[in-house]
């Protein structure tokens, strides 16, 4: 993404990373097992205000996923999948999102109000999700 305001081509539109990459490389075994690594990567810092004075740092997250899918004959044509997914295995500290503002003073003034500061929302640390899906 390469978005700018019509009136100011020097400043990137806040909250829209130029690059956001997500990928999974899965090995699938004929018995119904899948496993592989996952990757979420924002390789460049991204402005959080339209004046481009405050930025979200770049980050990269690694994860892994494993699943087992039952054969179709097991449940009258339906399939059940059991999975486990680990995310942010490196326990990276990052901002998963933030509030976009028109302008944030840099450095911020001594007395801050919610209207004067960008609020970063921290991303999830190391986590594990376990689940089950069923379909016909």
């Amino acid at each position: 993404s390469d978005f700018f305001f019509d009136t100011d081509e020097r400043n990137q539109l806040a909250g829209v990373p130029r690059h956001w990459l997500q990928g999974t490389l899965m090995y699938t075994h004929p018995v119904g097992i899948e496993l592989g690594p996952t990757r979420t990567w924002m390789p460049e810092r991204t402005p959080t205000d339209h004046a481009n004075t405050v930025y979200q740092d770049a980050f990269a997250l690694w994860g892994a996923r494993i699943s087992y899918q039952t054969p179709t004959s097991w449940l009258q044509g339906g399939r059940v999948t059991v999975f486990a997914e680990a995310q942010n295995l490196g326990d990276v500290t990052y901002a998963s999102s933030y509030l976009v503002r028109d302008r944030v003073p840099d450095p911020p003034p001594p007395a801050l109000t919610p209207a004067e500061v960008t609020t970063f929302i921290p991303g999830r640390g190391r986590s594990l999700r376990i689940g089950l899906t069923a379909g016909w």
Side-chain angles (χ1 to χ4, degrees), residues 1-83:
S1 303
D2 197 14
F3 298 110
F4 295 87
F5 288 104
D6 287 340
T7 57
D8 187 357
E9 293 184 12
R10 295 172 293 133
N11 289 341
Q12 182 181 349
L13 185 64
V16 182
R18 283 199 175 118
H19 304 287
W20 178 274
L21 307 164
Q22 286 186 293
T24 303
L25 181 64
M26 298 297 286
Y27 166 76
T28 304
H29 192 276
V31 298
I33 296 174
E34 288 188 337
L35 61 103
T38 63
R39 175 83 162 171
T40 301
W41 184 28
M42 189 179 76
E44 297 176 323
R45 67 185 192 149
T46 301
T48 63
D49 66 323
H50 295 311
N52 291 186
T53 59
V54 177
Y55 288 82
Q56 175 189 15
D57 292 334
F59 64 88
L61 309 174
W62 283 102
R65 181 177 171 88
I66 185 168
S67 66
Y68 171 73
Q69 187 175 71
T70 62
T72 54
S73 61
W74 184 75
L75 193 60
Q76 298 178 356
R79 288 187 179 218
V80 173
T81 303
V82 178
F83 68 90

Side-chain angles (χ1 to χ4, degrees), residues 96-121:
S96 64
S97 60
Y98 42 84
L99 300 177
V100 174
R101 307 281 188 198
D102 180 44
R103 179 181 302 272
V104 176
D106 189 20
L112 295 175
T113 68
E116 296 172 319
V117 67
T118 302
T119 305
F120 289 92
I121 301 168

